[in-house]
Amino acid sequence: MSKPKPDSPDTGNEPESQTTSNFIRSIIDQDVAVGKHGGRVHTRFPPEPNGYLHIGHAKSICLNFGLAADHGGLCNLRFDDTNPIKEEAEYVEAIKEDVRWLGFDWEDREYYASDYFGQLHEWAVELIRKGKAYVDDLTAEEIRQYRGTLTEAGKESPYRDRTVEENLALFESMRAGELADGSKVLRAKIDMAAGNLNMRDPVLYRILHASHHRTGDDWCIYPMYDFAHGQSDSIEKITHSLCTLEFEDHRPLYDWFIRELDIFPSRQIEFARLNLSQTVLSKRKLKQLVDEGLVSGWDDPRMPTISALRRRGYTPESIRDFADRIGVAKADSTVDVALLEHCLRVDLNKRAPRVMAVLEPLKVVIENYPEGESELLEAVNNPEDPEAGSRQIPFSRELWIEKNDFREEAPKKYFRLAPGREVRLRYGFFITCQEVVKDETTGEVVELRCTYDPETRGGYAPDGRKVRGTIHWVSAAEAVNAEVRLYDHLLKPADEVKADQAKDFKASLNPDSLKVLTGCKVEPSLEGAARESRFQFERQGYFCVDNRDSSPDHLVFNRTVTLRDTWAKIEKAQRQASA
Ligand code: ATP
Ligand code: MG
């Protein structure tokens, strides 16, 4: 990716390469330079445990942990678990696993907003004592009506002027469990005419007789997210609190709490959230897909969750590289999923061993090869990595080749196998198709009778004869059976979505996002391949052993990505468009 030219205006939206500068880094550098907080940099990643992490969260994780590490600082993992209704311990464990897998370490700094419920309650009482908070009897609906609109001031609640004593007593009975859910709330007393709606007496506490995954039934009042998030940062003395743009309008409220409570002044900085083409990045929508059985689970390899990307065959390195390249900006945009895939290909190209696998097998019998014999041929493990060495693959009279590497009626530009044509078997010999055997009833091609030229061992003819096509193959006797799952994007490309479908993301689901092939034949070196090991199947793409369903008796491979990199093309088009 190209960096912005020095003379072009910095929109803050240019993709960054490597760990180059960005506006957040500049702010932090300035704060460090003037010795703010003693030059300390302390960030946090604050997920709400109400779903699995997705690639958008990965952006935030890389940013928070990365900026802290680059400044010799620390990054906490904090679960923002203020909502007992949607949160579950299962999500907490999955989140920890994902952050660790991405390569980040929060050491012993694992915190929970729920650990601060006691402190937050004391602060609520403090605000009441200062006359800055009151108990309100309006219903949720009335509160909404009283709030006003962007163009119209709100109306004060008739309960707004309760005395401090009355508020303290009522808040205590809320807390003691004497009142029903929804009957009262605690609100900040700020300004019902404020231009910013978040400042119009926001709700701080609500009554909720619900068990919390950590605090059990200790509480029947719970702080609102806005009354917990900023203060949790203050409690942890977070210096730079990075969050997505939708919280920009909440910052004045967080700063109000900091002033009124005289607590540690964490500085909030907002950045644009990641949007990715051909997928959805919203826990709510992802949960819907899981709950409605439209995918097999949170880690279904079509999902954009970290656990699904892992299962699909993504590497943590490629995701971190992607996060570096997209950088951070102040305006929303959508990143093409081709860039994510490009980062993955760059990484896998360097380290995935090459193997041969036939996904839709067609039998080939080499008529002039002796029956019952076989020999070993040498195959290079990874031409991009000399250290990877080579391996021996068996060759014999019966082989499998790919069905679509043969055509009975071959067009002129078709260089693979056809009646009378000669091709090279990768790392093997030249073979010529002599005869086509068909199923008598269906007419389907079931076998090819071929001959091989023993002089072409290793793939070259001593007489200088050339062949145009090279195909992959597997020796039938030694082949290992496998199931291969071909994945494609969760959603159709935007330009294929009809206007009337655009509103409901489920109408854009790609009906061809999964194709399962059983009866695939892979080379014997893959026997017993470990879960999550990654390979390049020559000519076909990158594949990863499924970490859920694969076993030594039943190998299952997920296609990670095909070999065709569309990013280079997109990048070129973008360059031309901006030139
Ligand atoms: P979702 O919208 O998917 O439900 P969320 O923002 O509610 O996500 P949180 O668990 O609150 O999810 O997010 C934890 C952190 O990750 C927050 O700081 C949030 O700003 C950040 N984050 C969430 N989604 C994205 C995204 N798409 N791009 C960048 N950061 C994100
Ligand atoms: Mg959130």
Side-chain angles (χ1 to χ4, degrees):
M1 303 211 63
S2 59
K3 276 191 269 171
K5 290 186 217 92
D7 59 346
S8 67
D10 186 358
T11 56
N13 260 339
E14 299 293 338
E16 306 276 345
S17 78
Q18 305 310 317
T19 41
T20 45
S21 191
N22 63 51
F23 77 97
I24 299 181
R25 191 176 288 272
S26 310
I27 293 174
I28 294 181
D29 287 343
Q30 279 162 25
D31 284 349
V32 169
V34 300
K36 197 168 169 185
H37 308 308
R40 201 168 55 81
V41 174
H42 200 151
T43 58
R44 84 290 171 263
F45 172 64
E48 183 182 348
N50 61 351
Y52 280 61
L53 299 182
H54 53 60
I55 183 80
H57 295 109
K59 170 179 178 172
S60 175
I61 293 167
C62 293
L63 190 63
N64 278 294
F65 279 93
L67 284 170
D70 292 347
H71 290 86
L74 299 172
C75 180
N76 296 353
L77 175 62
R78 181 196 323 131
F79 292 96
D80 252 328
D81 56 351
T82 51
N83 183 353
I85 297 192
K86 289 192 195 155
E87 293 159 3
E88 284 173 34
E90 176 202 342
Y91 298 137
V92 170
E93 290 313 311
I95 289 170
K96 288 199 273 187
E97 167 109 18
D98 289 346
V99 177
R100 234 180 261 125
W101 179 79
L102 275 176
F104 299 104
D105 185 3
W106 58 93
E107 298 171 315
D108 58 352
R109 296 178 311 283
E110 177 178 324
Y111 301 121
Y112 294 82
S114 56
D115 290 343
Y116 309 140
F117 282 169
Q119 174 70 77
L120 293 168
H121 176 259
E122 277 176 36
W123 279 334
V125 171
E126 190 177 331
L127 289 179
I128 297 174
R129 288 223 164 86
K130 289 180 71 177
K132 299 285 185 178
Y134 62 97
V135 173
D136 195 355
D137 295 9
L138 292 185
T139 62
E141 184 47 38
E142 287 165 334
I143 289 178
R144 210 167 342 200
Q145 284 163 7
Y146 275 58
R147 188 180 293 131
T149 64
L150 282 173
T151 50
E152 216 176 301
K155 218 164 58 176
E156 295 187 352
S157 163
Y159 305 97
R160 198 173 195 261
D161 292 320
R162 281 176 161 154
T163 64
V164 168
E165 286 64 36
E166 196 183 350
N167 281 318
L168 285 173
L170 286 172
F171 190 48
E172 181 46 35
S173 39
M174 279 171 66
R175 185 217 141 118
E178 292 159 11
L179 300 168
D181 287 4
S183 59
K184 287 185 173 33
V185 291
L186 182 74
R187 298 178 71 176
K189 193 170 178 176
I190 309 180
D191 179 5
M192 287 307 292
N196 183 338
L197 282 114
N198 292 300
M199 303 299 274
R200 294 187 187 171
D201 293 9
V203 173
L204 307 182
Y205 263 94
R206 56 190 170 147
I207 305 172
L208 210 58
H209 289 83
S211 282
H212 185 277
H213 76 113
R214 283 175 66 86
T215 59
D217 295 322
D218 291 354
W219 297 89
C220 61
I221 54 171
Y222 288 94
M224 301 303 289
Y225 179 86
D226 274 350
F227 192 64
H229 187 84
Q231 285 99 304
S232 300
D233 284 338
S234 295
I235 291 170
E236 295 172 19
K237 299 207 163 33
I238 298 303
T239 57
H240 298 86
S241 170
L242 314 183
C243 64
T244 37
L245 285 177
E246 66 269 26
F247 291 102
E248 195 164 22
D249 292 344
H250 298 237
R251 177 159 28 94
L253 176 60
Y254 300 168
D255 289 344
W256 187 86
F257 291 136
I258 287 174
R259 277 196 312 279
E260 293 298 333
L261 298 168
D262 193 21
I263 54 179
F264 184 84
S266 302
R267 174 171 186 179
Q268 174 171 305
I269 307 168
E270 306 87 13
F271 64 93
R273 61 196 298 123
L274 170 70
N275 298 302
L276 199 60
S277 64
Q278 293 193 253
T279 191
V280 279
L281 294 184
S282 142
K283 279 186 282 192
R284 190 179 52 78
K285 289 180 181 166
L286 295 174
K287 187 165 189 306
Q288 217 176 320
L289 293 175
V290 173
D291 291 347
E292 295 177 21
L294 296 166
V295 292
S296 67
W298 284 98
D299 66 351
D300 183 304
R302 289 166 290 184
M303 295 277 272
T305 56
I306 311 279
S307 52
L309 293 171
R310 172 179 179 174
R311 188 171 169 197
R312 175 96 173 239
Y314 273 78
T315 62
E317 290 82 357
S318 63
I319 296 176
R320 296 201 300 262
D321 178 32
F322 172 71
D324 273 347
R325 291 189 198 221
I326 56 174
V328 286
K330 260 292 190 193
D332 279 316
S333 64
T334 297
V335 174
D336 198 304
V337 68
L339 175 59
L340 177 62
E341 293 171 352
H342 171 75
C343 295
L344 178 66
R345 287 189 186 97
V346 168
D347 189 28
L348 290 178
N349 182 44
K350 281 182 300 198
R351 51 196 183 128
R354 275 55 169 171
V355 293
M356 292 201 281
V358 175
L359 304 189
E360 297 185 78
L362 173 62
K363 173 75 74 62
V364 165
V365 177
I366 310 288
E367 294 185 307
N368 60 340
Y369 197 88
E371 252 168 272
E373 278 188 27
S374 74
E375 64 192 280
L376 290 172
L377 299 168
E378 177 148 328
V380 175
N381 287 335
N382 185 352
E384 300 292 323
D385 176 10
E387 307 266 287
S390 61
R391 67 190 185 289
Q392 306 270 303
I393 48 172
F395 181 84
S396 62
R397 185 179 156 87
E398 296 199 357
L399 313 173
W400 297 111
I401 67 164
E402 210 69 60
K403 254 190 199 133
N404 67 8
D405 279 336
F406 170 79
R407 290 237 200 132
E408 204 169 8
E409 314 277 344
K412 209 147 182 247
K413 285 267 164 74
Y414 187 84
F415 298 122
R416 291 172 264 166
L417 210 52
R421 294 258 186 102
E422 188 171 45
V423 295
R424 175 190 293 111
L425 295 178
R426 178 85 161 143
Y427 299 121
F429 298 91
F430 287 8
I431 61 166
T432 305
C433 177
Q434 307 293 357
E435 193 190 327
V436 181
V437 183
K438 292 184 186 172
D439 182 302
E440 275 174 19
T441 46
T442 64
E444 193 197 351
V445 177
V446 290
E447 186 179 300
L448 302 178
R449 311 291 294 190
C450 299
T451 51
Y452 86 121
D453 177 355
E455 298 293 312
T456 56
R457 197 174 202 273
Y460 297 94
D463 64 4
R465 176 169 104 249
K466 297 263 188 293
V467 288
R468 298 290 292 269
T470 300
I471 63 174
H472 60 272
W473 56 278
V474 175
S475 173
E478 296 87 352
V480 176
N481 292 321
E483 173 180 331
V484 174
R485 300 173 181 171
L486 302 177
Y487 290 103
D488 202 347
H489 300 117
L490 188 61
L491 301 187
K492 292 185 271 197
D495 57 9
E496 286 175 23
V497 178
K498 297 197 189 75
D500 58 334
Q501 299 181 332
K503 276 217 186 73
D504 175 15
F505 82 98
K506 282 188 290 177
S508 317
L509 285 173
N510 175 5
D512 305 316
S513 58
L514 171 59
K515 186 172 168 195
V516 178
L517 300 174
T518 53
C520 308
K521 303 285 182 184
V522 303
E523 68 167 67
S525 74
L526 289 174
E527 173 119 48
R531 288 178 169 189
E532 294 194 355
S533 43
R534 307 179 186 92
F535 302 92
Q536 184 192 103
F537 288 0
E538 298 228 15
R539 300 175 64 225
Q540 322 233 39
Y542 292 100
F543 291 76
C544 175
V545 182
D546 190 68
N547 66 11
R548 202 178 258 284
D549 300 333
S550 191
S551 69
D553 298 334
H554 180 70
L555 276 179
V556 179
F557 290 92
N558 297 323
R559 182 171 70 195
T560 313
V561 273
T562 58
L563 294 175
R564 199 178 332 112
D565 194 337
T566 48
W567 179 248
K569 221 169 70 189
I570 294 170
E571 213 184 7
K572 192 172 160 204
Q574 281 176 348
R575 265 201 307 273
Q576 282 166 351
S578 66

